[in-house]
């Protein structure tokens, strides 16, 4: 590459797509990026001029004696090297800057994005309507409950219509559970929420209002899970909050506890275990007031065990997980196949993931390998494979990292699951010690590319 003397440094597109550069971007180690540029023919002097660093600083950086982590320096390097928008996204910088040229839009991806944004806006509208409807007492207007019309038309529900609405909720949960791409259920859930909120706003009878509130809470749980799987955590939090509000209106302690627990998941995935734990303790108290025949309290305890593991509390983790094992003593049916699906089959994978958090790779591998032998959904299998890749990283076993990491990556690409993608992104910082291994660099680059799915 010809070494220019003025202006921005222009690097070929192949440079930004290379595995070494992808690793540098994902790890935000700009010293690696400068070394790659230097090896492509850009002189130390030219690099210093372009990115605003002294000759001495550039020399030390290229020799591996100094790292670059300050945000303002990273920004200068991004501008000086004319970093394209997709690369800026990977390094965590704003994608738009005057020095950058826009890349051609992918019409298929753009079209899907417009559909997703439309669905999201409609769901947020329903969230606002739900908050107002649940907060305002029912009106005194006369309602003819003998006129039970088709629920799909959004008119006031009678007993038969309520039963049909409940059946539709069940069907949507089944669709969500069986779908490889969870977002496919989104439009149907949105439509059903519109029907439920319309009916809830028209009724004044306490018993049927409670039943409608229960159905609303049930479906906001589902909307929250879809948003969570798509990594739309703000939307998910709003859904879980409204589900909790509707559960209280319905006097359903199990559903209320479940909504609080799902909300706490947001803290777990953000590694904010100290913030998640109080919510889980509240959820546990709610669950103890629920049905003794359901598995809610055991599921809450299982999630609480994960939070305690994240805090490094081994004794607390074992105690909470031991209580969760009590689910096996319940008589069937102890879950509803919808929002409450905990039957104890998840305990092995959740225990294994917690051993990863506790940095106990030998225990984690034995538990997770056993979990792989059971019937798992594609998303659950992808999460287990990601955790097994992490145990390889903790052991320093590059072969295990690559084997399990690539298998998890394939699951993430096939299902487009944000949950698996987030697991893999958590793995990325642990790949730095393997930077010299080509297959690990390739894996790291592929994980970074998941952001564009």
């Amino acid at each position: 590459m010809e070494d220019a003397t003025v202006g921005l440094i222009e690097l070929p597109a192949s440079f930004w797509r290379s595995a070494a550069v992808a690793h540098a971007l994902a790890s935000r180690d700009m010293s690696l990026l400068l070394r790659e540029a230097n090896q492509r023919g850009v002189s130390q002097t030219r690099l210093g001029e372009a990115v605003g660093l002294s000759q001495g600083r550039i020399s030390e950086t290229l020799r591996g004696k100094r790292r670059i982590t300050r945000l303002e320096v990273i920004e200068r390097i991004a501008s000086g090297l004319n970093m394209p928008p997709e690369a800026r996204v990977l390094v965590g910088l704003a994608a738009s800057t005057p020095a950058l040229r826009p890349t051609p839009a992918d019409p298929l991806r753009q079209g899907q994005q417009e559909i997703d944004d439309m669905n999201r806006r409609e769901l947020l509208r329903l969230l606002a309507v739900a908050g107002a409807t649940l907060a305002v007492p029912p009106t005194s207007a006369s309602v003819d409950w003998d006129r039970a019309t088709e629920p799909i038309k959004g008119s006031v529900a009678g007993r038969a219509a309520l039963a049909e609405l409940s059946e539709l909720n069940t069907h949507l949960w089944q669709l969500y559970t069986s779908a490889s791409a969870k977002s496919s259920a989104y439009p149907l859930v949105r439509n059903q929420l519109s029907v439920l909120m319309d009916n809830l706003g028209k009724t004044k009878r306490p018993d049927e209002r409670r039943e409608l509130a229960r159905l609303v809470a049930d479906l906001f749980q589902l909307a929250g899970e879809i948003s969570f799987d798509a990594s739309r955590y703000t939307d998910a939090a709003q859904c879980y909050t409204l589900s909790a509000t509707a559960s209280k209106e319905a006097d359903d302690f199990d559903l209320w506890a479940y909504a609080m627990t799902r909300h706490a998941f947001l803290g777990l995935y953000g590694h904010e275990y100290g913030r998640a734990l109080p919510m889980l303790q509240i959820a546990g108290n709610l669950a103890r007031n629920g049905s003794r025949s359901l598995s809610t309290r055991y599921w809450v305890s299982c999630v609480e065990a994960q939070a305690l593991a994240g805090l490094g509390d081994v004794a607390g983790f074992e105690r909470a997980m031991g209580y969760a094992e009590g689910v096996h003593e319940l008589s069937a049916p102890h879950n509803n196949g919808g929002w409450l699906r905990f039957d104890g089959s998840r305990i092995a994978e959740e225990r294994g993931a917690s051993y990863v958090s506790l940095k106990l790779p030998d225990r984690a591998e034995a538990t997770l390998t056993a979990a792989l032998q059971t019937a798992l959904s594609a998303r659950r299998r992808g999460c287990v494979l990601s955790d097994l890749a992490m145990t390889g990283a903790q052991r320093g076993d590059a072969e295990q990292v690559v084997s399990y990491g690539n298998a998890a990556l394939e699951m993430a690409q096939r299902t487009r699951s944000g949950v698996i993608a987030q697991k893999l992104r958590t793995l990325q910082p642990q790949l730095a010690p393997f930077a010299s291994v080509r297959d690990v660099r390739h894996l790291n680059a592929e994980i970074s590319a998941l952001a564009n799915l």
Side-chain angles (χ1 to χ4, degrees), residues 285-299:
N285 290 334
L286 290 170
R288 281 189 283 275
N289 287 289
S291 171
R292 303 303 293 177
S293 64
L294 293 178
S295 61
T296 315
R297 61 194 184 280
Y298 298 113
W299 183 70

Side-chain angles (χ1 to χ4, degrees), residues 29 31 35 56-57 60-68:
D29 187 351
S31 57
R35 286 202 291 274
R57 178 72 182 277
E60 289 181 342
T61 299
L62 295 180
R63 285 184 287 127
K65 290 190 173 183
R66 295 190 68 171
R67 296 187 64 201
I68 296 174

